[in-house]
Amino acid sequence: MSNEDNVELTDGFHVLMDTLKMNDIDTMYGVVGIPITNLARLWEQDGQKFYSFRHEQHAGYAASIAGYIQGDKPGVCLTVSAPGFLNGLTALAHATTNCFPMILMSGSSEREIVDLMQGDYEEMDQMNIARPHCKASFRINSIKDIPIGIARAIRTAVSGRPGGVYVDLPARLFGQTLSVEEAKQLIFKPVDVTPAQIPAADAIARAAEVIKNAKRPVVMLGKGAAMAKADAEVKAFIEQTGIPFLPMGMAKGLMPDTHPQSAAATRAFALAQCDVCILVGARLNWLMQHGKGKTWGNELKKFVQIDIQANEIDSNQPIAAPVVGDVKSCLSLLTEALKGAPKAPAEWTGALKEKVDTNKGKLATKMAAPVAPTGMNYSNSLGVLKEFMLKNPSINLVNEGANALDNTRMIVDMLEPRRRLDSGTWGVMGIGMGYCVAAATVTGDPVIAVEGDSAFGFSGMELETICRYNLPVTVIIMNNGGIYKGNEEDPGNGLVSCTRLIRGRYDQMMEAFGGKGYLVNTPEELKAALEEAVASKKPCLINAMIDPDAGVESGRIKSLNIVSKVGKK
Ligand code: OXT
Ligand code: ADP
Ligand code: MG
């Protein structure tokens, strides 16, 4: 395309695509429609990847977890205006809450009409609606601002505490033109978007002192450390100090769960009895009972907290030794400062080891328990997956549900970092199939998703997406016919209990789209199906029939339920 002076022109579509490519972004997840269909089309024609979903929320979840796995590059989701944007917004808020770097880009309607509320096609003031749900919300009005706008979005998403960023793309931006020459001069790659953030020397000295004086120290590894790819630094720190460690759900595998210093099998005891807890990229939020109460025992704990976000410190409890900086820099300096210090006291590590061995023995007995006529339970079924994952550690494990989530986290050991992708900070249902698509496409490795039957329902239609792209994803439905349990008594009046679902043929759903379905009733059948499914490298779904009575209300977080003091439960 050129103008009347024969100057070669480019347009908004191409300047945006060239800017993204300049920033090594080659993948978008989304749903097309007015005004962004041609952006996705041109993107694909250019040899880039566009994963087209059935619902924007799942495309957004895919982008959010792509950001987590990549760490230094945001996942990108593309949506249409108003309803498409709103569908994607849940995922943007999720990314921000979980500290995952993600950019939601959405087409939007004509500013003049939107601002006067004159009823445009899919009218909505998207930029302002997005603002409270992300780190920053930008609008790019002029083609010349595309490179700066995208640079701001990328840097905001990945630097400091990562999170979600919204970029509003009004329809008419795509049609604006610019000379190819000028576009070339404007498009750039921002320098050092994830700079090292070195902690202060006195913060390191203070933390080292607290750790040296600890009698019963424990390290809590969080998904911030996993996302930062601080694998080597974490290993060096843990092994040099000899301090036992506990992983939060998504930090499992950052240190192998089979490591002799893992205290995961005696979490409650370790938290209640420790005197010093070293938080590494983990927040003292609800998942850690805010650092207080019964879980943390009677004695006041001393916390060392490594975090990139300064105001995370003291958010729930006074922190004796804050270390503000990026986790890699913080840990390597701390490890250096602790060189030559004695290892964690043997009395403490020995007591933990004893508990770990006892609890592992108890769990092994549960896993070996025979199957009741009413179906498998969570232990004897997930024992099969445990064995399988130990032999195949380079598989991504997506996991959601209540009992399906908690039991998998407890039973299935992870040996590699960033392989366990779960409901995260919000304990949200619906991440399942979106996470599967991103995990398969970003890592190139197979995916197993362990899904409660309710959890799966939130994103089940994306089975078609998984089949359309022929991804190596095996979905296991832990089918107990309900939310927590599948056998709650109906209330009468022709109504069905609010926790009950049809214990149906999810395997046939998969077959409807050309994938392979399995229906299994025993651990032996599950094992055979799992081996065949993963080896096929094709979309498969295993419908594992679980005893409807096997689960417990809300899994491990029952205490958060409010129970009525009057009338029936
Ligand atoms: O030390 P103790 O004795 O305490 O024991 C611990 C470990 O030491 C031990 N352990 C081991 N023992 C032996 N060997 C080994 N290797 C070992 N490893 C560990 O096991 C225990 C447990 O260990 P853990 O997990 O480390 O410790 P603990 O104490 O549990 O940790 C605390 C937590 C809080 C960190 C942990 O529990 C956690 O991470 N929990 C996350 C919980 C969560 O996020 N739940 C999901 C939300 S529930 C609810 O909200 C649901 N909804 C509502 C809804 C949602 N969420 N979203 C949306 C969009 N809409 C609605 C719904 C609809 S769940 C749900 C669906 C549920 O139905 P499904 O059909 O999907 O699922 P089913 O329940 O299967 O039917
Ligand atoms: P978990 O759920 O595993 O406990 P959280 O999401 O609660 O983890 O906490 C992750 C923490 O990690 C956040 O407070 C975030 O600021 C921090 N974080 C993220 N990236 C880095 C990094 N590169 N260096 C240090 N801290 C980080
Ligand atoms: Mg269920």
Side-chain angles (χ1 to χ4, degrees):
M1 177 176 60
S2 44
N3 65 8
E4 60 262 23
D5 300 327
N6 241 349
V7 174
E8 205 189 338
L9 296 178
T10 183
D11 61 14
F13 288 117
H14 289 87
V15 173
L16 178 58
M17 295 197 305
D18 291 345
T19 305
L20 293 171
K21 286 192 294 178
M22 173 70 97
N23 284 283
D24 303 322
I25 290 171
D26 62 0
T27 303
M28 290 190 226
Y29 307 89
V31 178
V32 298
I34 297 167
I36 48 89
T37 313
N38 280 321
L39 176 61
R41 209 175 256 142
L42 290 164
W43 183 249
E44 284 190 306
Q45 286 165 6
D46 191 55
Q48 313 302 315
K49 287 173 269 180
F50 187 88
Y51 289 97
S52 191
F53 277 70
R54 304 301 295 261
H55 188 288
E56 291 86 351
Q57 190 175 110
H58 311 302
Y61 284 143
S64 75
I65 207 67
Y68 169 76
I69 297 169
Q70 291 160 180
D72 56 356
K73 196 166 72 170
V76 176
C77 176
L78 183 65
T79 63
V80 303
S81 25
F85 155 78
L86 282 176
N87 286 344
L89 191 59
T90 307
L92 185 70
H94 165 84
T96 309
T97 298
N98 281 274
C99 316
F100 299 160
M102 166 186 172
I103 297 176
L104 174 66
M105 296 196 306
S106 183
S108 62
S109 301
E110 296 306 332
R111 286 308 323 156
E112 292 81 349
I113 307 178
V114 174
D115 290 348
L116 274 175
M117 298 165 69
Q118 291 173 312
D120 202 1
Y121 168 74
E122 297 192 344
E123 175 180 296
M124 180 170 274
D125 183 7
Q126 297 167 195
M127 181 182 74
N128 286 308
I129 288 171
R131 187 151 279 150
H133 304 289
C134 54
K135 282 182 81 178
S137 186
F138 302 114
R139 178 181 298 127
I140 305 178
N141 288 298
S142 155
I143 185 169
K144 291 189 182 179
D145 286 334
I146 291 175
I148 279 287
I150 296 299
R152 279 179 75 53
I154 291 174
R155 192 180 287 279
T156 307
V158 296
S159 65
R161 168 183 281 176
V165 174
Y166 176 64
V167 180
D168 199 58
L169 303 170
R172 73 169 61 139
L173 176 75
F174 298 112
Q176 292 178 24
T177 57
L178 187 68
S179 80
V180 166
E181 206 37 56
E182 193 176 355
K184 265 195 200 144
Q185 284 168 19
L186 287 173
I187 294 172
F188 75 108
K189 183 174 179 176
V191 177
D192 196 11
V193 289
T194 51
Q197 303 209 6
I198 315 290
D202 61 341
I204 292 292
R206 194 186 297 116
E209 213 39 44
V210 172
I211 295 170
K212 276 184 204 160
N213 289 319
K215 293 190 176 59
R216 297 180 307 283
V218 70
V219 173
M220 180 63 85
L221 299 172
K223 63 181 176 299
M227 183 172 58
K229 301 192 177 153
D231 314 355
E233 291 79 3
V234 167
K235 183 172 167 21
F237 175 76
I238 300 253
E239 291 186 344
Q240 181 190 298
T241 59
I243 301 177
F245 68 89
L246 295 167
M248 294 302 287
M250 284 180 61
K252 275 169 77 75
L254 178 53
M255 289 292 289
D257 278 328
T258 49
H259 192 280
Q261 283 171 252
S262 170
T266 184
R267 185 182 196 272
F269 179 80
L271 292 184
Q273 299 299 320
C274 70
D275 63 347
V276 169
C277 178
I278 303 150
L279 301 162
V280 184
R283 286 172 285 187
L284 277 180
N285 57 13
W286 72 277
L287 287 154
M288 271 195 263
Q289 290 76 33
H290 307 281
K292 56 191 166 197
K294 208 170 72 188
T295 309
W296 291 85
N298 300 323
E299 187 192 357
L300 209 60
K301 310 293 169 187
K302 269 196 174 165
F303 289 102
V304 174
Q305 182 162 25
I306 295 178
D307 207 291
I308 203 157
Q309 177 83 7
N311 70 352
E312 184 56 41
I313 309 297
D314 302 331
S315 61
N316 285 270
Q317 287 297 304
I319 301 296
V323 186
V324 176
D326 76 90
V327 68
K328 277 176 171 240
S329 304
C330 294
L331 272 184
S332 43
L333 288 169
L334 199 51
T335 307
E336 187 59 35
L338 287 167
K339 255 204 184 120
K343 289 208 174 212
E347 200 184 329
W348 168 237
T349 54
L352 288 175
K353 180 90 185 52
E354 202 176 302
K355 292 258 176 206
V356 163
D357 291 344
T358 311
N359 291 351
K360 282 190 173 170
K362 281 188 200 156
L363 188 62
T365 312
K366 275 195 190 170
M367 287 188 298
V371 176
T374 39
M376 292 184 282
N377 62 29
Y378 289 93
S379 308
N380 55 26
S381 55
L382 289 168
V384 170
L385 182 61
K386 179 190 177 92
E387 291 308 313
F388 187 82
M389 286 297 291
L390 283 174
K391 289 191 201 126
N392 303 278
S394 302
I395 290 179
N396 302 291
L397 183 67
V398 172
N399 189 201
E400 59 178 336
N403 296 281
L405 172 79
D406 293 341
N407 286 289
T408 306
R409 187 182 58 249
M410 176 169 54
I411 292 171
V412 180
D413 290 328
M414 303 303 295
L415 304 186
E416 293 185 2
R418 295 168 295 283
R419 293 295 192 186
R420 190 184 149 81
L421 311 169
D422 70 22
S423 302
T425 304
W426 265 344
V428 68
M429 301 297 112
I431 46 98
M433 299 305 103
Y435 274 21
C436 286
V437 172
T441 54
V442 173
T443 67
D445 295 322
V447 183
I448 295 175
V450 181
E451 300 275 313
D453 53 335
S454 162
F456 172 72
F458 288 72
S459 66
M461 193 62 214
E462 304 297 346
L463 278 189
E464 189 272 337
T465 311
I466 289 168
C467 288
R468 190 163 14 101
Y469 293 104
N470 197 22
L471 298 173
V473 173
T474 298
V475 180
I476 304 175
I477 309 288
M478 305 297 283
N479 193 355
N480 64 346
I483 299 179
Y484 316 134
K485 275 180 175 289
N487 58 355
E488 189 163 296
E489 212 178 296
D490 289 336
N493 306 324
L495 291 174
V496 181
S497 154
C498 59
T499 63
R500 233 166 25 81
L501 303 169
I502 293 175
R503 200 157 163 247
R505 294 297 303 270
Y506 297 98
D507 48 309
Q508 292 180 345
M509 256 178 94
M510 183 54 125
E511 300 228 321
F513 298 112
K516 174 109 172 102
Y518 301 84
L519 178 69
V520 303
N521 287 292
T522 65
E524 295 72 28
E525 287 171 7
L526 175 57
K527 181 169 187 283
L530 185 59
E531 282 169 359
E532 186 178 291
V534 176
S536 78
K537 301 197 172 87
K538 292 202 155 41
C540 295
L541 186 146
I542 302 172
N543 189 0
M545 300 311 258
I546 304 294
D547 183 347
D549 197 37
V552 293
E553 176 103 359
S554 302
R556 297 274 302 168
I557 54 172
K558 189 180 172 71
S559 61
L560 298 183
N561 273 319
I562 310 292
V563 180
S564 169
K565 296 199 174 58
V566 288
K568 272 186 159 183
K569 187 170 80 165

